[in-house]
Structures are given as structure tokens and as C-alpha cells.
Amino acid sequence: MPFSAQHLCFTLKEQIDSPTLTPSARMTNWTHSAANELFKLLVTFAKGYQDDLVHNPTIGFENLNPAEQKAILEKLRQGMNVEIE
């Protein structure tokens, strides 16, 4: 699908003029939930994802040996870029 900046700007302007067209509003309508209920559900999902990453930070690096995983985590903690082959 080719990128169209004009179409994107038009869509964003529509969403600004009518917030009910935003993805968040559409999701709220789709779930037939109050916005507050949906927000609580999404926060629960986010906390679960964060908890998974805190307790198992090597998700996605399972194919590397423990020493390589530890080295990558240390570089990330130091704010260094990591290249994975």
C-alpha cells in the first residue's frame, strides 16, 4: 500500500475534529465497555507484560547461551546499542 501523506493528514484532521473516530474510541465502542473499564483492562495487560519482562528479561534471546544473554542485558542496562545476528 503506497504511503499517502495527504490521506494521513486528512484522517488525522477527521480524528481531531471528531475524537470518536480515533482508534481508542473505536475500540471502546467495539468492546461495548465504558472507557474506564477498558482502560483498567489495558492497564492490567500492560502490567502483565511488564511483569513478564522484569522476571524474564531474556524473552526473545532464548537461542543464545546464558553468557551471551547476560552480556546483552548488561549492554542494554548501560544504554549501549546491541546488534543481534
Side-chain angles (χ1 to χ4, degrees), residues 51-82:
D51 188 55
D52 286 345
L53 290 176
V54 166
H55 291 96
N56 188 9
T58 58
I59 292 173
F61 300 109
E62 294 90 351
N63 61 331
L64 302 176
N65 67 51
E68 291 172 318
Q69 290 177 8
K70 188 175 180 180
I72 288 172
L73 288 173
E74 187 55 38
K75 285 182 179 180
L76 291 173
R77 284 187 186 109
Q78 296 173 3
M80 298 172 67
N81 291 332
V82 175

Side-chain angles (χ1 to χ4, degrees), residues 10-57:
F10 178 74
T11 301
L12 292 174
K13 182 181 180 322
E14 283 183 320
Q15 290 177 0
I16 290 168
D17 292 340
S18 179
T20 58
L21 298 176
T22 63
S24 300
R26 290 180 19 225
M27 184 186 296
T28 300
N29 290 335
W30 177 70
T31 62
H32 302 290
S33 299
N36 207 21
E37 295 291 320
L38 182 59
F39 180 75
K40 288 178 187 176
L41 179 64
L42 293 174
V43 167
T44 300
F45 289 151
K47 286 182 179 178
Y49 180 72
Q50 182 182 26
D51 188 55
D52 286 345
L53 290 176
V54 166
H55 291 96
N56 188 9

